[in-house]
């Protein structure tokens, strides 16, 4: 049908199918900023438009509904290059992180302040009620509205900056506009889907309806005969080369236990076949036409099923070791099914797939048995966590283009260099044949550390010589993406009557799911990021990961810490109560402090031997003191309602800053012809502001205006190797590499300037803005560039440096909460949540806070609302964001504060440590402890849903 | 996937189109029908009634007439609408959905967890349709197939409370209910207790109503028991049978108590 509409002030006419979604229609009209996060479910708000002046979701409308109507997108807000008041306010409030639906938020806030002159907090919540935004935690949107309202009244209004850190530094520790914020909030082309060309084919995957089965037969003839189908892929025409999807440094501690398409299905949603077609509809229809006969196998749901006598084996193939094969390997393989995909370990991680064990490790210090004998009080409890979905706003997406004998992959990834290596391995080509361009990433949170779809799309592009676009649906995100592993954690603690630990024991069981991504490192990290928070001479742990048939698990922000720390911190409070010692006091008696040496880390290397680590910076003293004062810790709040009980809780948290001795980052800084700079960073900015961190560090070192520093990151052809954005490595490793490259370049600059000024480099220094000065005179960077890049010059000044370290810089924090528990309904309202965190020197204070808000609200969601539900056959029951239960702005604590505790770390660049990951480690134990304080129940299992609270209260 | 789209110019045109295309579905705001369109679950033929029906909200004597195409946000914003219905409409936690969804479409979809339908029943609302005016319950019993022109709210009850309960702010509800009480001229009580979320469509708890009207249900605990005995929810992803029975019992009993307090 012909559709006439007014789009952003222009009359437009277009012919379209009436049932096409309005979002797709707008895309056809060249509007990219109206995006899809939920396949027309009407939940996430990335598809927001103003229709006849009202906020609606374009994906929940069909094209025909736009006929004769006026549509405004974010393009209507911008005048030329100038952003609107609202867009500027959002940038100043630091709430443009991944930016995937920042244009939607801008429209919602624009609508709000057009309707209401002075909006209340409730008005803001209502205006943004349809916006799902995992990254920001929503809190800074309240500030954005406040700024927008003030600017609307007075264009010259400038808000107060978010704190000032980093001493006399010009950029480090000071508020500065995130360098990609303008294009994101304006809705410019920035994401993978924006790069897709018209001739691209669409790849769709036929996924298993069963959780555990063998494919007896597969008939693709009808699909192949369908007009528009380019190729059909099954296990018969793809490489049978085991690999792992975990994007970790090579050699990975995760086993290679999958192939592109297999004859065995190991989870609901596992790949069965794939169809490449000229358009999406044909690709979907092609999948429907594939006939598959399955032989169903018993389903392994959890650790108990996995270790039961005679349990079905999730991986029944041979076990192979690249290094360090155990002596009994031959015996282990005696009954293996040679037709099944093998499990390949790069080195031993204690796995035994013959018992459904994907990895196992144990360790300890001191004499734990003796420690328990010496204890006056012993606590022994078990805690359990659930499977959590990462739910990035931007669905997993890739676009692969063959170009000659190379492939260019536009990827939404946390690990462009690992992605390149894994794809090259599957295609059987060398890495130089693959170029990965990491586009802006609309949220990853760990799920984009794994290579979930790029390798299959690359195979399709490689063999068909056609450009291939492959994007998950939201349902596929739930059944086929990587998730947070469910864990069962037994904690045994012993202490003297005086409240000193004598022994600590943790036994962690992890439900790994179908494949072995991060099998060892996630649960082990749970121990290494929680046990060292308390000082005890006798401590031990075991970690066992079991294969099962639940949807795949992998990395999620915080790695294993949010789960194991929940168990430990609740156990600590339980023990404090048994000892009749106040919780805060008990924590203070036993917690880690600066100067301590953490012996336990000797047993907690990431797949290799660890070593004791000293704590050379620790902000816990201040975090605890400030937090307890803020929340008025010793005051018992009274409820005015008989059914509502109020309580307070706390916990302490820790994380790492990258993986010392394992990971590496590199960066190149180039001086351009006018004395400005381009930074080519291998770092993968996921929206957290890593590129801005790199720009700040370079500008700080080179004493130049930050606007003269451009950052190009995540292009594997352009920038040197970086391990990727995971394990809290961004600021510390990638930022450190940028600083090191700038420092190297500064020495080169001084040397060249000395030649020009005919003096010695050590008699010169860099001076802001962008010049070299000394007694012999001065030379600007522009002059220096002209000199070095001319026909008689020494060559363009380019410096490349790496960052590696053997030192761990642990970030710390203390979280406090006040909750009101309705004992009639089981509802828990979070009245106050205060997160106080030591990230060393905060490089971007506003965005550091944004990371904390985002992390805390994610973990509130994990602890309170979210739950991936499976039926008894292992099939996922809730495959949409609403029934899964992600938190929205209406769930934000009534009083929500992120506070930065500045500590100058001796090893991090400019004293920085990591900030984002640690933020998810606190909410579960803090809330569980607060709920106990309110009404006396111990919640030893996620989620703290009304039903589970009522059950604990004995009401049902 | 929607293959054929017709736009009705007025109510008569909508009815005529429906007669000509019996498989067609009326498309109001589209928040129900369009949902999940990428999966091909949408109807093949739709009749868009956006321009065909009124969306005005007017007061006629003691009655309030709401055009079927009034959006739920317009219901929330209208000064004419009783506060309980405004509150029920605002239970839909997403502004963009409220801006798109119409009140007529919400009733026509007849979802068991509708926030609007229990409150309309508690308000004794009637629906204007091509087959005449009918009670909301009657419309639901007949299979909710007729085109709704408008909703008429008679004189308000003496007290009315709408309630919802969900795991999080935006999660699907486990309780969507409304309670209203009216004093007749002879001072006798007329009660309406109506719940969604516990059956395939919104229910009225007649025995509970009779207990309130006869005075046999005086205490909260008795009300909770009576409500629990009147419902048979099913276990699903939102909760177990035990939880759903409990939470509906205590929340609706609480609503009744609040109504009684308001009445006294």
């Amino acid at each position: 049908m012909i559709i006439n509409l007014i789009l952003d002030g222009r009359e437009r006419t277009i012919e379209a199918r009436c049932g096409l979604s309005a979002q797709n229609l707008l895309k056809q009209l060249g509007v990219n900023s109206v995006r899809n996060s939920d396949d027309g479910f009407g939940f996430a708000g990335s598809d927001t438009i103003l229709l006849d002046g009202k906020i609606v979701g374009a994906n929940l409308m069909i094209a025909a509904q736009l006929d004769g109507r006026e549509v405004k997108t974010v393009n209507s807000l911008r005048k030329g290059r100038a952003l609107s008041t609202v867009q500027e306010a959002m940038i100043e409030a630091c709430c443009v992180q991944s930016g995937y639906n920042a244009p939607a938020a801008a429209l919602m806030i624009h609508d709000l302040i057009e309707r209401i002159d002075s909006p209340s907090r409730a008005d803001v919540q209502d205006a943004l009620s349809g916006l799902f935004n995992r990254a920001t935690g929503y809190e800074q949107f309240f500030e954005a509205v406040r700024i927008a309202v003030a600017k609307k009244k007075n264009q010259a209004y400038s808000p107060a900056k978010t704190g000032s850190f980093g001493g006399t530094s010009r950029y480090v520790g000071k508020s500065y506009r995130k360098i990609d914020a303008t294009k994101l909030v304006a809705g410019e082309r920035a994401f993978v889907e924006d790069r897709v060309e018209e001739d691209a084919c669409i790849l769709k995957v036929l996924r298993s309806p069963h959780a555990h089965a063998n494919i007896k037969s597969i008939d693709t003839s009808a699909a192949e005969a369908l007009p528009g189908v380019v190729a059909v892929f099954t296990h018969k025409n793809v490489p049978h080369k085991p690999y792992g999807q975990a994007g970790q440094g090579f050699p990975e501690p995760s086993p290679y236990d999958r192939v592109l398409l297999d004859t065995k299905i190991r989870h609901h949603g596992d790949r069965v076949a794939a169809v490449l077609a000229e358009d999406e509809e044909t690709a979907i229809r092609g999948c429907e036409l594939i006939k598959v006969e399955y032989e169903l196998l018993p389903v392994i749901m959890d650790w108990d099923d996995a270790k039961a006598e005679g349990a079905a084996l999730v991986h029944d193939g041979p076990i192979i070791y690249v290094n360090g094969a155990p002596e009994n390997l031959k015996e282990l393989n005696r009954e293996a099914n040679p037709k099944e995909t093998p499990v390949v370990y790069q080195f031993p991680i204690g796995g035994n797939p013959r018992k459904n064990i994907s990895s196992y490790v144990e360790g300890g210090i001191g004499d734990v048995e003796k420690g328990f004998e010496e204890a006056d009080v012993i606590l022994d409890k078990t805690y359990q966590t659930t499977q959590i979905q990462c739910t990035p706003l931007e669905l997993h997406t890739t676009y692969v283009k063959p170009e000659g004998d190379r492939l260019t992959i536009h990827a939404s990834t946390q690990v462009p260099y690992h992605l390149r290596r894994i794809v090259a391995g599957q295609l059987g080509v060398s890495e130089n044949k693959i170029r990965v361009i990491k586009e802006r990433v609309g949220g990853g949170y760990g799920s984009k550390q794994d290579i979930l779809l790029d390798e299959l799309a690359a195979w399709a592009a490689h063999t068909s010589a056609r450009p291939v676009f492959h994007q998950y649906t939201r349902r596929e995100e739930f059944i086929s993406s990587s998730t947070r592993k469910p864990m069962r954690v037994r904690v045994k603690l012993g202490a003297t009557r005086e409240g000193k630990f004598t022994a600590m024991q943790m036994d962690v069981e992890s439900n790994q799911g179908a494949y072995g991504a991060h099998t060892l490192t996630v649960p082990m990290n749970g121990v290494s990021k929680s046990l060292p928070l308390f000082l005890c001479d006798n401590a031990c742990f075991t970690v066992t990961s079991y294969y099962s048939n639940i949807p795949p698990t992998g990395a999620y922000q915080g790695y294993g810490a949010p789960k194991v720390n929940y168990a430990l911190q609740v156990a600590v409070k339980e023990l404090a109560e048994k000892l009749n010692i106040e919780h805060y006091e008990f924590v203070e008696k036993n917690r880690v402090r600066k100067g301590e040496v953490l012996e336990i880390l000797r047993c907690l290397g990431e797949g290799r031997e660890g070593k004791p680590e000293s704590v050379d910076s620790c902000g816990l003293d201040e975090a605890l003191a400030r937090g307890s004062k803020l929340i008025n810790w010793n005051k018992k709040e009274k409820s005015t309602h008989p059914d509502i009980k109020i309580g307070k809780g706390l916990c302490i948290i820790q994380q790492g800053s990258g993986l010392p001795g394992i990971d590496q980052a590199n960066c190149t800084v180039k001086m351009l012809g006018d004395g400005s700079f381009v930074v080519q960073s291998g770092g993968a900015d996921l929206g957290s502001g890593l590129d801005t961190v790199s720009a700040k560090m370079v500008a700080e070192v080179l004493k130049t205006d930050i606007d003269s520093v451009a950052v190009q990151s995540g292009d594997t052809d352009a920038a040197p190797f970086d391990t990727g954005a995971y394990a809290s490595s961004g600021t510390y490793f990638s930022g450190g590499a940028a600083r090191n490259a700038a420092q190297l370049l500064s020495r080169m600059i001084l040397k060249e300037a000395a030649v020009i000024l005919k003096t010695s480099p050590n008699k010169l220094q860099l001076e802001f803005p962008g010049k070299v000065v000394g007694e012999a005179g001065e030379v600007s960077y522009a002059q220096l560039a002209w000199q070095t890049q001319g026909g008689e010059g020494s060559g363009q000044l380019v410096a490349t440096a790496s960052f590696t370290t053997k030192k761990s810089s642990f970030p710390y924090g203390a979280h406090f909460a006040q909750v009101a528990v309705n004992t009639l309904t089981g509802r828990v309202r979070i009245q106050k949540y205060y997160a106080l965190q030591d990230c060393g020197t905060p490089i971007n204070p506003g965005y550091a806070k944004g990371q904390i808000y985002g992390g805390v609200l994610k973990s509130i969601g994990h602890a309170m609302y979210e739950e991936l539900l499976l039926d008894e056959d292992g099939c996922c029951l809730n495959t949409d964001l609403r029934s899964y239960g992600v938190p929205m702005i209406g769930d934000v604590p009534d009083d929500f504060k992120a506070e930065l505790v500045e500590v100058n770390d001796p090893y991090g660049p400019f004293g920085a440590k990591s900030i984002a990951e640690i933020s998810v480690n606190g909410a579960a134990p803090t809330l569980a402890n607060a709920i106990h304080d309110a009404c006396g129940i111990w919640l030893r299992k996620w989620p703290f849903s009304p039903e589970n609270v009522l059950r604990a209260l004995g009401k049902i | 996937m929607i293959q054929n789209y017709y736009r009705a110019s007025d109510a008569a045109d909508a009815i005529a189109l429906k007669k000509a295309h019996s498989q067609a579905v009326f498309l109001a705001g589209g928040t129900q029908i369009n949902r999940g369109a990428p999966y091909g679950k949408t109807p093949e033929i739709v009749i868009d009634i956006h321009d065909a029906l009124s969306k005005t909200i007017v007061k006629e004597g003691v009655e309030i007439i709401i055009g079927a195409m009034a959006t739920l946000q317009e219901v929330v914003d209208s000064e004419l609408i009783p506060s309980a219905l405004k509150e029920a409409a605002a239970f839909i936690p997403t502004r963009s959905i409220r801006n798109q969804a119409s009140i007529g479409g919400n009733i026509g979809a007849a979802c068991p967890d509708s926030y609007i339908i229990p409150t309309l029943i508690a308000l004794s609302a009637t629906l204007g349709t091509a087959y005449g005016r009918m009670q909301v319950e009657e419309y639901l019993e007949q299979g909710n197939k007729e085109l709704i022109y408008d909703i008429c709210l008679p004189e308000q009850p003496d007290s009315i409370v709408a309630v919802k309960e969900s795991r999080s702010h935006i999660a699907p509800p486990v309780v969507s209910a409304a309670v209203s009480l009216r004093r007749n001229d002879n001072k006798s009580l007329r009660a309406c207790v109506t719940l969604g979320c516990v059956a395939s469509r919104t229910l009225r708890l007649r025995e509970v109503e009779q207990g309130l009207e006869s005075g046999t249900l005086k205490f909260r605990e008795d009300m909770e028991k009576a409500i629990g005995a009147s419902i048979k929810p099913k276990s699903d992803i939102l909760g177990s049978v035990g939880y759903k029975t409990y939470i509906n019992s205590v929340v609706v009993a609480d609503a009744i108590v609040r109504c009684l307090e308001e009445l006294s």
Side-chain angles (χ1 to χ4, degrees), chain A residues 738-783:
Chain A
R739 180 205 57 180
N740 290 353
Q743 286 175 338
L744 180 58
L745 189 64
S746 73
R747 292 194 287 276
M748 295 164 77
I749 289 170
L750 289 172
K751 193 174 161 192
E752 291 296 335
V755 173
I756 295 167
L757 295 171
K758 297 183 172 52
T759 183
S760 163
N762 58 17
K763 291 183 177 168
L764 297 172
Q765 58 185 7
L766 307 187
E767 189 175 288
F768 187 85
K771 58 188 177 182
V772 183
V773 297
E775 286 180 3
E778 68 175 53
V779 57
S780 70
Y781 288 176
Q783 289 170 304

Side-chain angles (χ1 to χ4, degrees), chain B residues 28-250:
Chain B
T31 55
Q32 306 285 348
I33 288 170
N34 295 338
R35 182 169 291 182
Y39 303 117
K41 291 175 185 168
T42 48
E44 289 197 356
I45 309 169
V46 293
I47 301 165
D48 190 340
I49 53 173
H50 180 267
D51 299 333
L53 301 174
S54 167
K55 62 184 307 185
T56 57
I57 301 171
V58 293
K59 188 162 189 179
E60 292 179 2
V62 295
E63 293 177 339
I64 295 158
I65 311 295
I66 308 168
M69 282 307 298
T71 67
L72 295 173
Q73 187 59 45
E74 285 162 346
V75 169
V76 172
D77 292 339
S78 171
E79 290 178 1
L80 297 175
I81 299 290
S83 57
L85 185 58
K86 286 159 80 92
E87 196 178 353
F91 283 160
I92 293 167
T94 308
R95 187 177 186 88
S96 56
I97 300 282
R98 295 197 304 268
N99 275 336
Q100 187 181 341
S102 67
I103 187 166
N106 189 284
I107 303 164
C111 293
D113 61 355
S114 165
Y115 294 122
I116 302 296
I117 292 172
T119 303
L120 287 175
I121 293 173
L123 284 165
S124 303
T126 58
L127 307 177
T129 74
Y131 288 82
R133 192 155 288 282
M134 60 179 80
Q135 296 285 328
V136 175
E137 287 170 274
E138 198 182 344
Y139 176 82
L140 297 177
E141 279 162 13
Q142 289 180 8
N144 53 283
K145 287 180 183 159
E146 306 310 330
L147 182 63
I148 300 167
Y149 299 158
D150 60 41
I151 298 99
C152 173
L153 307 181
E155 197 171 4
Q156 275 202 64
D158 297 300
S159 66
I160 177 166
V161 170
V163 287
K164 76 164 262 197
E165 200 65 35
S166 56
R167 180 184 284 202
S168 66
H169 183 68
I170 206 164
V174 287
V175 178
S176 172
V179 175
S180 67
L181 298 174
R182 290 173 196 266
R183 284 267 181 227
N184 292 335
D185 293 341
N186 61 3
K187 302 294 177 193
S188 65
L189 197 65
R190 191 151 61 88
C192 178
V193 179
T194 175
L195 282 79
C197 301
V198 292
S200 58
R201 63 179 178 82
T202 305
L203 298 179
R204 272 188 78 166
L205 304 190
R206 301 281 184 189
E207 288 183 15
V208 176
E209 291 171 2
Q210 284 163 14
L212 292 168
E213 288 165 1
S214 65
T216 55
L217 281 181
K218 283 184 181 165
F219 302 106
R220 182 192 291 256
E221 291 74 15
D222 295 335
M223 293 171 197
E224 289 176 8
K225 276 182 196 162
I227 295 163
S230 305
I231 58 175
K232 288 189 174 60
K234 286 184 179 166
S235 171
D236 59 19
I237 59 170
L238 300 179
S240 65
V241 172
Y243 168 60
K244 287 186 175 184
T245 305
Y246 168 85
I247 196 72
N248 276 280
S249 302
V250 297

